Amino acid sequence: MPRFGVLGPLTIEDPPGRRTTPRGDHQRALLAVLLLNANSSVPVDALVETLWPDTPPKSYSSNLHTYVSRLRARFEGLEIEREPHGYRLVVEPADLDLLSFREAVAAGKAAARAGDPAAAAGHYRRALAEWRGPVLSGLHIPRLDADVARLESERLAAFEDCVDAELSDGRHGELTGELQAMITEHPLRERLAAQLMIALHRAGRQADSLAVHRDLRATLVEELGVEPGAEVRRVHAAVLRGEDPVPSAKTAPIFPICQLPPDIADLAGRESEIAKLSGLLGDGTGVPVAVITGEPGAGKSTLAVTTAHRLRRSFPDGQLFVPLSGASDPRDLSAVLGDLLRALGVTGPAIPDDVEARAAVYRGRLADRRVLVVLDDAASPEQVRALLPGTPGSAVLITSRRRLSGLAGADRLPLAPLSGAEAMTLLARLAGPDRVGAERADAERIAKACGNLPLALRIAGSRLAMRPGLLLGKLAGRLEDEVSRLDELQVSDLQVRGSIALSYQALSPAARRAFRLIGRCRTLDLPAWAVSTLIDDEGADEAIDELVEASLLEATGLDPTGEQRFRVHDLVRVFATELGRELETRAERVATVAKVSDAALCLADTAARRLPRTVPMPLSDHDVPAQPLDGELVERLLRDPGTWFSVERANLVSAVSSLCAVGWRRKALRILERLSAYLYMHSHYTDMRTAYETLRDAAREAGDRHIAVIAEANLAVLLHVRGEYERAAEGYRECSKELAELGDLATRVWVETNLAHCLVGLGRAGESLHAATQAREMSTVEDSGTHASRAESAALHRLGKISEALEIDRRILAQARESADDRQLGVALQGLSWSLMLDGRQEEALATIEESVRVLRRTTAKSALAKSLRTQGAILAGAGRRDGAVKAYENARRLAGALEERPRELSCTRAIAASWIGDGRADRAIPVLRRCLDEFRAMGGKPATGLTLHVLRRAYEAVGETEAAEAAGEEAKRLEVPHDANASTLVRLLLSLTEPAPA
């Protein structure tokens, strides 16, 4: 069935939406008169007069029948019934705009009678929307002039009824313009004039209201010679008295009321935050106030709306939602209260002009009710205080970029970015779970580039949803480029840059400068000393407080050194960096970064010199600036240097990368040399490797041979400690050669010494002794000379020259006792104890190693302690103290495993497995020994491989596998080195553990 229109041009709209009209004037006129009288019988005489107003043809009856038939054929479903004396067009109200109009008007009248002006106004507006222009415009049919005039009167009456309803509902503000236009068309219409007077009076325009009365009276007197009627006179008198001419007729109940926006369907995570807010707001005591704070784009409003929806049952009287626009253009409090009062049923003059009076009426309307008030995007405590209910039962949930610290009694929930899992869930909901699952690694890159910030993730997910063919890896690559990241994070009206900019623009000039300065530091976790150094201004504390209040900088508490820490979100930092590039010169930016990097280097230098130097590489004194920080602050931070390094470890590793990126490789090296003192001592080898590889690559790219070779030498140390002896030795040799060419004698001494130790592990004692002796002779510094002497002692052990080794170890011990350094003393005692053991002085060796262990337990030198415990285990085994030996090996293995020192961990495991053979558990020992053997072979450690084969032979013998035992024994003999006192003694001690324990 098509839909017909007569309230405007005659139209017929087919179901697909195509508009048509009948062909010929007679058919159009016939359809028009039938539609104006829809569902009523139209006499044939009336139809004939309509079609042929002058003289009808003789065949008018058959012609009329033909026109009706053509209409039926032209429009499928059109029902024109033949009545005894005429025709009737049957149509549903929905299929004819005239019937829809009248139906909506009737509904409006019914609602008005029921005392619901808001509903009545809605019906009337729906009715008036059916009008597209004058009735049957463009089609002049004299017979219908009276009908057209009557319909225009109905339209005007419906408009006036609509205005009455909207005035009763307190909606006068938007009516004045519309009424003035209607008055222009109908200047003698007194009802319209009275309504306009009321609307203007309620809008506070009393003079304009009285002017309408003046103009109407002048027109009536001039054109009709009459005065305005009683209704206009009554309204005029009320305006003169300052009273509301028509008090609100609204009687429909206001409560419950719900103004909440729709709940979001794709919320990811936040369940713990919702639970916390629900607990705070639903405790039923007083008027609880919760403030959700957080950086731009954290999802504060989304969380508030979701929480409010979940709490609707707890607040049966309703939920008010008040957008305060605090981040952009804070709304006027008087206007906000006016809107709230109208929503709560207070209209017209009942709304006071004074803000405090409005707040009092607002509190009165909420008194003794249970209403949740959601104040979104608050600008300040002042904007919020007047909107708090006054009686228990209600609660307030506020979102703000600012902490609103001045709002007493409020509970605050700082909203962090999503967790990694939550970020992936949100991305999957937006872009599709299959797509994200198939490109999981790239999806994680996108989430990381977005900093897990909900707004950024929503933009990225929306972009992927709009472009099904866009690879996640391609978008991830764009987002990882900091220069274009914020350009990529915008879609439609959502953009991260604009969101952050609103917070930035609200800052004071000093805080804006501080914000830009912080953006120059790539570190996201900042200590107070670094922030103060960056800002370098007397007003730094006030600027920092303002940034924290604005949620552009987050105070995360005190670190173990007692220093305040701050966090800045990565996207916020990128925005700050953008601003810095736009507003400041490169020289200004460089100067600021130089100050904070100098402070970091000086702190690292002081801290490193207070730690034992365990990493076998030199610590250069060159290029270290004067300490820019206050001496008292430095002492507080470095009271425990290890603690300071542990706190700043990640920042310093990141600083190495950042300094390399800007070409400050030498400063990066100096920081890394000092950081390595801590990293090596605590076996943080991954951080060391990452940082030195970054430094090496940057140096190679810049053609800086010296820094590149120093980085390579440190990387060789890491290969050495992991037991990759062949690769380490090769690296040491290459580095030594280059250092000789570059003339860096100090570093070359350490590299040659490290090579000597590595060659011992490879079973090449002669080469080891040569390298160690050469290093000692080149050394001009006590530290490096002592390290080389230890390498000489280890090589001499394997060459059977025990007395020479003893002499060296005694000299090292004497130097250590003079130094009063417990770590040096413990290490020297360990070296001497093993030389004594190899010389057959078992009791003296045992006493010496026990002192070594005692001394090293007082230090943080865990690696040295693990080595001493292993030596203690061997010496105790030789003394026949089997249980003590196994316990020492177990303690040493546990330490070595924690430190990722695999060769030492394996040698302890081998000794423990040997004790299992003596306990009758050889079957358990065999697979463990095989794994040790495989790893030692892979390392290239011939002595260690031979020792393991000897123990494995004994295990095979214990289980009766004769052939396997013989094969292991033969291979062990082939690996034996003549005069290697170290190996022969260790074989004896290990095999003693394979013997059954005495009863």
mmCIF file of all heavy atoms in Angstrom, residues 509-526:
data_model
loop_
_atom_site.group_PDB
_atom_site.id
_atom_site.type_symbol
_atom_site.label_atom_id
_atom_site.label_comp_id
_atom_site.label_asym_id
_atom_site.label_seq_id
_atom_site.Cartn_x
_atom_site.Cartn_y
_atom_site.Cartn_z
ATOM 1 N N PRO A 509 51.266 29.265 32.383
ATOM 2 C CA PRO A 509 52.476 29.310 31.533
ATOM 3 C C PRO A 509 53.641 28.526 32.123
ATOM 4 O O PRO A 509 54.366 27.836 31.403
ATOM 5 C CB PRO A 509 52.778 30.802 31.434
ATOM 6 C CG PRO A 509 51.441 31.467 31.608
ATOM 7 C CD PRO A 509 50.693 30.616 32.589
ATOM 8 N N ALA A 510 53.840 28.618 33.437
ATOM 9 C CA ALA A 510 54.964 27.904 34.064
ATOM 10 C C ALA A 510 54.775 26.397 33.965
ATOM 11 O O ALA A 510 55.729 25.654 33.704
ATOM 12 C CB ALA A 510 55.088 28.328 35.522
ATOM 13 N N ALA A 511 53.544 25.927 34.177
ATOM 14 C CA ALA A 511 53.279 24.490 34.093
ATOM 15 C C ALA A 511 53.378 24.004 32.657
ATOM 16 O O ALA A 511 53.817 22.868 32.405
ATOM 17 C CB ALA A 511 51.898 24.177 34.665
ATOM 18 N N ARG A 512 52.992 24.837 31.694
ATOM 19 C CA ARG A 512 53.139 24.453 30.286
ATOM 20 C C ARG A 512 54.617 24.250 29.945
ATOM 21 O O ARG A 512 54.986 23.286 29.274
ATOM 22 C CB ARG A 512 52.549 25.526 29.373
ATOM 23 C CG ARG A 512 51.037 25.614 29.410
ATOM 24 C CD ARG A 512 50.552 26.626 28.380
ATOM 25 N NE ARG A 512 49.111 26.835 28.479
ATOM 26 C CZ ARG A 512 48.413 27.632 27.677
ATOM 27 N NH1 ARG A 512 49.035 28.286 26.710
ATOM 28 N NH2 ARG A 512 47.118 27.775 27.823
ATOM 29 N N ARG A 513 55.453 25.175 30.407
ATOM 30 C CA ARG A 513 56.891 25.037 30.149
ATOM 31 C C ARG A 513 57.423 23.754 30.794
ATOM 32 O O ARG A 513 58.179 23.003 30.168
ATOM 33 C CB ARG A 513 57.636 26.254 30.704
ATOM 34 C CG ARG A 513 59.156 26.136 30.607
ATOM 35 C CD ARG A 513 59.864 27.370 31.169
ATOM 36 N NE ARG A 513 61.303 27.168 31.162
ATOM 37 C CZ ARG A 513 61.987 26.607 32.153
ATOM 38 N NH1 ARG A 513 61.342 26.198 33.244
ATOM 39 N NH2 ARG A 513 63.302 26.458 32.064
ATOM 40 N N ALA A 514 57.025 23.509 32.049
ATOM 41 C CA ALA A 514 57.482 22.297 32.735
ATOM 42 C C ALA A 514 57.032 21.052 31.987
ATOM 43 O O ALA A 514 57.780 20.075 31.857
ATOM 44 C CB ALA A 514 56.940 22.285 34.164
ATOM 45 N N PHE A 515 55.821 21.075 31.476
ATOM 46 C CA PHE A 515 55.281 19.934 30.723
ATOM 47 C C PHE A 515 56.130 19.666 29.485
ATOM 48 O O PHE A 515 56.483 18.522 29.187
ATOM 49 C CB PHE A 515 53.834 20.248 30.336
ATOM 50 C CG PHE A 515 53.167 19.176 29.510
ATOM 51 C CD1 PHE A 515 52.826 17.955 30.064
ATOM 52 C CD2 PHE A 515 52.867 19.405 28.171
ATOM 53 C CE1 PHE A 515 52.207 16.977 29.304
ATOM 54 C CE2 PHE A 515 52.251 18.440 27.408
ATOM 55 C CZ PHE A 515 51.915 17.222 27.985
ATOM 56 N N ARG A 516 56.480 20.718 28.756
ATOM 57 C CA ARG A 516 57.302 20.538 27.554
ATOM 58 C C ARG A 516 58.689 20.027 27.904
ATOM 59 O O ARG A 516 59.255 19.194 27.194
ATOM 60 C CB ARG A 516 57.406 21.867 26.790
ATOM 61 C CG ARG A 516 56.085 22.390 26.243
ATOM 62 C CD ARG A 516 56.302 23.498 25.238
ATOM 63 N NE ARG A 516 57.024 24.631 25.767
ATOM 64 C CZ ARG A 516 56.450 25.688 26.361
ATOM 65 N NH1 ARG A 516 55.136 25.734 26.494
ATOM 66 N NH2 ARG A 516 57.186 26.697 26.794
ATOM 67 N N LEU A 517 59.241 20.517 29.021
ATOM 68 C CA LEU A 517 60.574 20.069 29.435
ATOM 69 C C LEU A 517 60.574 18.593 29.797
ATOM 70 O O LEU A 517 61.491 17.842 29.443
ATOM 71 C CB LEU A 517 61.053 20.905 30.627
ATOM 72 C CG LEU A 517 61.399 22.372 30.321
ATOM 73 C CD1 LEU A 517 61.601 23.146 31.602
ATOM 74 C CD2 LEU A 517 62.640 22.448 29.451
ATOM 75 N N ILE A 518 59.547 18.153 30.482
ATOM 76 C CA ILE A 518 59.463 16.736 30.851
ATOM 77 C C ILE A 518 59.364 15.874 29.606
ATOM 78 O O ILE A 518 59.859 14.745 29.561
ATOM 79 C CB ILE A 518 58.258 16.510 31.804
ATOM 80 C CG1 ILE A 518 58.548 17.148 33.159
ATOM 81 C CG2 ILE A 518 57.947 15.023 31.968
ATOM 82 C CD1 ILE A 518 57.380 17.175 34.100
ATOM 83 N N GLY A 519 58.737 16.403 28.558
ATOM 84 C CA GLY A 519 58.620 15.657 27.307
ATOM 85 C C GLY A 519 59.957 15.384 26.648
ATOM 86 O O GLY A 519 60.055 14.517 25.772
ATOM 87 N N ARG A 520 60.998 16.111 27.028
ATOM 88 C CA ARG A 520 62.317 15.879 26.430
ATOM 89 C C ARG A 520 62.974 14.622 26.977
ATOM 90 O O ARG A 520 63.957 14.143 26.418
ATOM 91 C CB ARG A 520 63.221 17.080 26.712
ATOM 92 C CG ARG A 520 62.708 18.353 26.048
ATOM 93 C CD ARG A 520 63.566 19.535 26.436
ATOM 94 N NE ARG A 520 62.945 20.788 25.986
ATOM 95 C CZ ARG A 520 63.385 21.986 26.305
ATOM 96 N NH1 ARG A 520 64.440 22.107 27.073
ATOM 97 N NH2 ARG A 520 62.774 23.064 25.867
ATOM 98 N N CYS A 521 62.492 14.139 28.098
ATOM 99 C CA CYS A 521 63.074 12.946 28.709
ATOM 100 C C CYS A 521 62.257 11.738 28.277
ATOM 101 O O CYS A 521 61.053 11.668 28.524
ATOM 102 C CB CYS A 521 63.055 13.089 30.233
ATOM 103 S SG CYS A 521 63.974 11.819 31.077
ATOM 104 N N ARG A 522 62.896 10.783 27.628
ATOM 105 C CA ARG A 522 62.173 9.626 27.086
ATOM 106 C C ARG A 522 61.744 8.655 28.171
ATOM 107 O O ARG A 522 60.976 7.729 27.923
ATOM 108 C CB ARG A 522 63.044 8.894 26.060
ATOM 109 C CG ARG A 522 63.372 9.741 24.837
ATOM 110 C CD ARG A 522 64.236 8.989 23.868
ATOM 111 N NE ARG A 522 63.536 7.845 23.320
ATOM 112 C CZ ARG A 522 62.729 7.881 22.266
ATOM 113 N NH1 ARG A 522 62.500 9.031 21.652
ATOM 114 N NH2 ARG A 522 62.140 6.797 21.816
ATOM 115 N N THR A 523 62.251 8.852 29.382
ATOM 116 C CA THR A 523 61.903 7.965 30.488
ATOM 117 C C THR A 523 60.491 8.260 30.962
ATOM 118 O O THR A 523 60.108 9.416 31.131
ATOM 119 C CB THR A 523 62.893 8.179 31.645
ATOM 120 O OG1 THR A 523 64.204 7.924 31.155
ATOM 121 C CG2 THR A 523 62.603 7.238 32.782
ATOM 122 N N LEU A 524 59.725 7.213 31.207
ATOM 123 C CA LEU A 524 58.328 7.392 31.642
ATOM 124 C C LEU A 524 58.199 7.376 33.161
ATOM 125 O O LEU A 524 57.235 7.882 33.714
ATOM 126 C CB LEU A 524 57.458 6.288 31.036
ATOM 127 C CG LEU A 524 57.474 6.215 29.504
ATOM 128 C CD1 LEU A 524 56.534 5.123 29.034
ATOM 129 C CD2 LEU A 524 57.081 7.545 28.889
ATOM 130 N N ASP A 525 59.179 6.759 33.848
ATOM 131 C CA ASP A 525 59.163 6.697 35.310
ATOM 132 C C ASP A 525 60.269 7.630 35.799
ATOM 133 O O ASP A 525 61.455 7.330 35.683
ATOM 134 C CB ASP A 525 59.423 5.254 35.771
ATOM 135 C CG ASP A 525 59.652 5.177 37.266
ATOM 136 O OD1 ASP A 525 58.924 5.857 38.004
ATOM 137 O OD2 ASP A 525 60.579 4.441 37.689
ATOM 138 N N LEU A 526 59.883 8.783 36.340
ATOM 139 C CA LEU A 526 60.853 9.833 36.635
ATOM 140 C C LEU A 526 61.004 10.052 38.132
ATOM 141 O O LEU A 526 60.003 10.193 38.847
ATOM 142 C CB LEU A 526 60.391 11.151 36.003
ATOM 143 C CG LEU A 526 60.388 11.202 34.478
ATOM 144 C CD1 LEU A 526 59.563 12.381 34.018
ATOM 145 C CD2 LEU A 526 61.795 11.308 33.954
#
